[in-house]
Amino acid sequence: EFVFYDQEFCIADYPVNTIVMRMILTFYTGNSELAKLIPMEELLQRYGLLSERERWQRPEGEFIGKLRKASPLAEYHKRVWADSGIINANRQRMNFSADDYQRLFIDIFEYADTRKLILFGSGLFAKHFAALYAKDYPVYAVVDNNEKKWGQELEGLPGIKIQPPSFFESLKHGEYKVLICIKNFLSVMNQLEEMGIHEYSVFDMNRAYPRKRHPIPVPRVGKKKYHVGYIAGVFDLYHIGHLNMFRRAKEMCDYLIVGVVTDEGVKRFKGTDPFVPFEERVEMVASCRYVDEAVEIPLMFADTKRAWELHHFDVQFSGSDYVDDPGWLSQKEFLEKHGATLEFFPYTQQTSSTKLKRLIEEKLL
């Protein structure tokens, strides 16, 4: 039986696709039995919601966020809410011996350099791993129990097809290491043990694992305030405001990394398409003499915490319009706990991508 309860949404011209999306998500929340009967993705595909899933979820998130005052209360919630990562870690410690806990959840990259690394799972956990760690630890294959995913490519791992569990039969014991990338990992652990596979660990999406640090080619000169700096943005319709920010940032750091949002990222999180495609935007940014390295921002892992895990910068530079934003202040607190910080720059007032787009749309250029 389905009992559907929803709080009132008082929004004019509310997209019907968002209502259907919310209904589907509500039905599946906490209902693992339903997922066994009909995968949620099947319904999303049936109603044409899968390709732009984030677009139809965004109005709901924005409305609830404003209703619950999520941004102003972010710091309060951070202090009083339980940390799910700590709770999960404590549960794991209780369920396994000290040696098994270390092997399963801490030393997950043991043998990853000398053996073929295989991810078991192709959902959010696997995508997270691909975005943050695949460059350090190349993935040989992806395995999943869902036969509907077999033959597809995992986002972030082009050219690697998702395989059935029988894929392990083509390999020899001792030549691979399995990394379980599933939230409910116990069933997969049992499955692997039944298959005679014992060389596996569990990837925890909430844990920060050590990465292979690629040496910054510029030595610390000691004259500038910071060594490694980071800026993130779309950088559409490249203009003097972007140049000013890069120049000011480079004046304060020895090595400047600029993260550029992909076209799909702009579409998902801003609800619009960029005027200039990603390949051209990142090339223009990389060509700036103040920029030492231009990098792609992983689609689903674009926040400051993930950026710091990737690049371990000393400072992130941002526009001054976020200086009092509770969310950004929370990010600053995170950085300061890890020996980094945030610096805010005033935007160039006379020019912005928003103004340029408005002029283009009004056909004034």
Side-chain angles (χ1 to χ4, degrees), residues 14-15 17-18 21 48-62 264 266-273:
Y14 201 63
N17 279 358
T18 297
M21 170 68 77
L49 305 174
L50 192 59
S51 61
E52 295 187 89
R53 177 173 178 171
E54 286 75 15
R55 176 186 177 186
W56 305 122
Q57 284 184 258
R58 191 180 305 114
E60 171 194 359
E62 292 174 350
E264 183 65 22
V266 178
K267 187 175 181 179
R268 287 193 183 192
F269 303 117
K270 290 184 176 292
T272 185
D273 292 309

Side-chain angles (χ1 to χ4, degrees), residues 177-194:
K177 166 70 179 283
V178 181
L179 203 55
I180 302 175
C181 296
I182 294 175
K183 183 177 182 180
N184 299 316
F185 54 84
L186 288 176
S187 61
V188 174
M189 286 177 57
N190 294 333
Q191 180 180 352
L192 291 174
E193 290 290 341
E194 291 174 358

Side-chain angles (χ1 to χ4, degrees), residues 13-43:
D13 301 319
Y14 201 63
V16 67
N17 279 358
T18 297
I19 297 175
V20 178
M21 170 68 77
R22 182 167 169 80
M23 289 176 64
I24 293 175
L25 294 179
T26 302
F27 286 151
Y28 278 85
T29 298
N31 193 340
S32 58
E33 294 303 315
L34 177 59
K36 294 178 182 178
L37 296 174
I38 305 177
M40 182 173 66
E41 286 72 16
E42 186 174 317
L43 282 184

Side-chain angles (χ1 to χ4, degrees), residues 289-306:
R289 63 177 175 149
Y290 303 114
V291 176
D292 295 291
E293 185 179 352
V295 298
E296 176 184 330
I297 297 178
L299 179 61
M300 298 305 295
F301 309 100
D303 63 330
T304 291
K305 180 177 183 295
R306 306 307 182 191

